[in-house]
Amino acid sequence: MSSVRVRAAGAVLWRTGPGGIEVAVAHRPRYDDWSLPKGKLDSGETLPAAAVREIAEETGFRAHLGRHLRTVRYSVAAGPKSVDYYSAAAVSGAFEPNEEVDELRWLAPAEAAGLLSYDSDRSVLEDFGALPASLTTLLLVRHAKAGKRDEWRGDDDLRPLSPSGIRQAAALRALLPLFGPDRVVAAPRLRCEQTVRGVADDLGVPVEHEDLMAEEHYWDDRDAGLARLLALVSVGGTPVVCSQGGVIPDLVTRLATRDGVRLPVDEGEKVPSKKGSVWVLSFRAAPGNGGPQLVAADYLPTALPTPATSQV
């Protein structure tokens, strides 16, 4: 007999207060406990979308996601359950008591750890505190599906998205804003521009072309390509960069090797870069004039919804 795995998402919601970083701890009257904001996925919802929605419903705050912190697993009546936690910066809003949460406290991380009811939440908070709260995020996107190259008779630069690629681009248009992007850059390929054009339109910004994110230009000078990506990070904000499968694995590998970051792939496996996927790359300023330093790398293999329950 199969069991049901319940999917849920949550976050360490943080802000900068008068005394430094504060995190939100919620009291749930139903359980009489203190916990981090979290909840089950709705049908047709991604994990990041569920995390942002649950933050809004439980705390009243709009948030932008950062790095993935950890996945917590435990059993409930319906079967095994997993909760994916993210770092999330509070952007705006105010708390009002509601059916799920009747009290919200903003506390220094050490105070929050003492109030939380569960060891698993304290472990998530410990992961949050292992790096600075304020990091720069770059969203490195592989263009969506565009059919087979050998079946396209025109200029390959003008090969458009396929119907399935258009669906992937629509999913990215919903997913990427959860991380608070403010700039959109793409390799000068129609399929790359089409993949992120919806995000740019919603932000009211242009899609900037970057030759060094195209395969042939990147491999002509890999160091220049890496330097260009780091220059985009140095500007600040949260850039979206859409590139190709011949660029992304090498870029991510070189960054991780340079800065000693362990990637979420098995040893010996190639760094993945599926069409329509996203690498969420988190950077901090290096001491001195060393430029941005990669400190975390999370891979989202698809922007399409995650099943709220799955048979295992």
Side-chain angles (χ1 to χ4, degrees):
M1 180 177 180
S2 63
S3 60
V4 176
R5 185 172 64 141
V6 180
R7 305 299 303 273
V12 175
L13 179 66
W14 67 272
R15 69 183 184 186
T16 302
I21 297 299
E22 300 174 339
V23 299
V25 182
H27 182 261
R28 302 183 299 175
R30 179 181 178 184
Y31 304 102
D32 190 23
D33 63 7
W34 290 92
S35 71
L36 301 173
K38 65 177 180 292
K40 291 188 292 185
L41 272 66
D42 286 342
S43 178
E45 191 172 43
T46 62
L47 287 164
V52 170
R53 175 184 55 76
E54 287 291 337
I55 289 169
E57 291 178 357
E58 293 191 0
T59 74
F61 284 86
R62 186 170 67 92
H64 288 160
L65 298 181
R67 62 191 177 98
H68 183 269
L69 297 174
R70 73 161 54 193
T71 302
V72 173
R73 294 178 173 85
Y74 53 95
S75 294
V76 294
K81 179 177 180 179
S82 64
V83 187
D84 283 77
Y85 285 94
Y86 300 83
S87 171
V91 177
S92 62
F95 173 71
E96 292 185 5
N98 54 76
E99 290 184 2
E100 294 186 66
V101 176
D102 61 355
E103 185 179 353
L104 189 76
R105 294 186 187 178
W106 288 97
L107 302 170
E111 294 179 277
L115 182 61
L116 287 168
S117 300
Y118 305 107
D119 287 341
S120 58
D121 281 359
R122 282 188 283 273
S123 296
V124 173
L125 188 57
E126 183 177 349
D127 287 347
F128 169 78
L131 291 171
S134 183
L135 299 170
T136 297
T137 300
L138 183 141
L139 303 165
L140 186 56
V141 181
R142 168 93 185 267
H143 70 75
K145 293 180 180 179
K148 295 182 179 179
R149 182 176 301 187
D150 57 8
E151 295 179 357
W152 175 254
R153 301 191 183 281
D155 184 343
D156 189 60
D157 289 0
L158 301 178
R159 180 157 49 97
L161 296 184
S162 64
S164 59
I166 291 172
R167 289 192 293 273
Q168 288 179 316
L172 286 164
R173 189 173 187 171
L175 175 73
L176 298 178
L178 302 171
F179 296 86
D182 54 9
R183 185 178 181 187
V184 180
V185 179
R189 301 285 186 272
L190 179 59
R191 55 193 178 275
C192 292
E193 181 173 340
Q194 287 181 324
T195 298
V196 292
R197 183 182 292 156
V199 177
D201 288 347
D202 292 342
L203 291 173
V205 300
V207 177
E208 305 170 38
H209 285 174
E210 177 49 65
D211 287 346
L212 286 167
M213 292 299 104
E215 288 172 345
E216 72 278 13
H217 295 293
Y218 175 80
W219 285 101
D220 281 345
D221 192 340
R222 295 163 66 224
D223 289 342
L226 179 60
R228 180 59 184 140
L229 192 80
L230 291 172
L232 292 170
V233 176
S234 296
V235 173
T238 304
V240 171
V241 178
C242 186
S243 185
Q244 298 178 266
V247 174
I248 292 172
D250 188 70
L251 258 180
V252 172
T253 300
R254 294 179 69 205
L255 278 168
T257 301
R258 186 195 75 156
D259 295 332
V261 173
R262 183 174 181 178
L263 297 175
V265 296
D266 292 333
E267 186 176 353
E269 286 192 357
K270 182 180 177 181
V271 170
S273 179
K274 294 175 61 177
K275 291 178 181 177
S277 65
V278 183
W279 276 97
V280 180
L281 303 177
S282 301
F283 297 83
R284 66 178 171 189
N289 296 317
Q293 177 187 17
L294 183 73
V295 293
D298 309 313
Y299 181 61
L300 302 176
T302 179
L304 296 171
T306 304
T309 60
S310 58
Q311 299 298 317
V312 296

